Amino acid sequence: TICVAQGVYKPDRTSANPSGSRDRNATFNLVNGTALCGGYAGIGAPDPYARDIAQYKSILSGDFNGDDGFNFTKYADNSIHVITTNNTDAATLLDGFIIVAGNADGLNKEACGGGMYSLSSSITLSNCIFFQNSANSLGGGISNEKSNSSIINCTFRNNNSHVGGGGMYNWYSNPTLTNCDFAGNTAKEGAGIKNYECSPSLINCNFSENSA
């Protein structure tokens, strides 16, 4: 398990390049079998391992320049996918993060999944917030392709897709969503969720003020 302290983390930053590369293809690529957990107080706190995801926010951001404006303005230089998964299984956990400011504005898969693009994966995703991510094509918050992930206690708010699935797009995918909220998402079709050849399971989920 990797414990992540409060703070803002950007995928183009490395120890060798702490100021960032501005490479829009930079992404947090989840490693199979690894648990990544945010919301810890971190070094300098009385108890670095104190965990409160509401108080100690761990933010994964695609806003490389820190200049995003209202209603997805100044997104042209943002990360295409903040997070990606590829052939990762249910032992792979992402828990307690805010995922924000992805902008999938390219072609093909690079037009899908601004917040997260998941391919052939069955990860466990819990206690995460997908906020103000955008996609030119499908899945502003998340785009699932042939993926059957378990998504628990997650919020999809104010994400946008120009085609379908403002909050989430599922393509040949059968995710299970439990206690999830979809609010204020926008798309041409399926503002909250759009599905194609799918059988997702939704348990105790709320949809409010989404617009298509």
Side-chain angles (χ1 to χ4, degrees):
T1 300
I2 299 173
C3 302
V4 180
Q6 61 183 318
V8 179
Y9 301 87
K10 302 183 180 183
D12 71 326
R13 269 63 167 170
T14 65
S15 57
N17 193 359
S19 297
S21 64
R22 304 300 192 273
D23 178 5
R24 297 193 63 219
N25 291 305
T27 182
F28 293 111
N29 188 20
L30 301 187
V31 177
N32 193 42
T34 299
L36 194 64
C37 300
Y40 288 89
I43 295 173
D47 179 4
Y49 287 96
R51 192 178 191 221
D52 185 327
I53 61 174
Q55 180 178 357
Y56 306 125
K57 293 180 174 63
S58 299
I59 301 169
L60 307 182
S61 174
D63 181 11
F64 293 160
N65 290 328
D67 62 353
D68 285 0
F70 178 73
N71 199 26
F72 305 102
T73 57
K74 297 186 177 179
Y75 265 47
D77 50 9
N78 288 18
S79 175
I80 292 173
H81 312 297
V82 178
I83 303 169
T84 56
T85 73
N86 191 343
N87 288 299
T88 47
D89 61 26
T92 308
L93 171 68
L94 186 73
D95 179 85
F97 289 90
I98 299 172
I99 297 94
V100 61
N103 182 32
D105 64 350
L107 300 174
N108 301 317
K109 71 176 184 179
E110 293 185 352
C112 304
M116 180 176 178
Y117 182 81
S118 186
L119 175 63
S120 300
S121 297
S122 299
I123 70 166
T124 302
L125 181 66
S126 61
N127 302 308
C128 289
I129 298 172
F130 288 80
F131 179 65
Q132 289 191 345
N133 300 284
S134 180
N136 267 11
S137 184
L138 301 161
I142 294 180
S143 180
N144 291 313
E145 180 178 344
K146 301 177 182 177
S147 295
N148 303 320
S149 297
S150 178
I151 303 171
I152 306 162
N153 296 331
C154 289
T155 298
F156 299 82
R157 182 177 296 275
N158 294 3
N159 301 286
N160 173 71
S161 171
H162 294 178
V163 178
M168 179 184 295
Y169 176 70
N170 297 313
W171 186 79
Y172 292 101
S173 299
N174 303 312
T176 299
L177 286 76
T178 306
N179 299 331
C180 292
D181 291 326
F182 291 79
N185 302 289
T186 56
K188 183 177 180 181
E189 297 178 342
I193 298 178
K194 180 176 173 62
N195 301 299
Y196 179 79
E197 297 291 341
C198 298
S199 298
S201 297
L202 281 74
I203 305 163
N204 297 327
C205 293
N206 297 316
F207 290 79
S208 63
E209 298 183 343
N210 300 288
S211 178

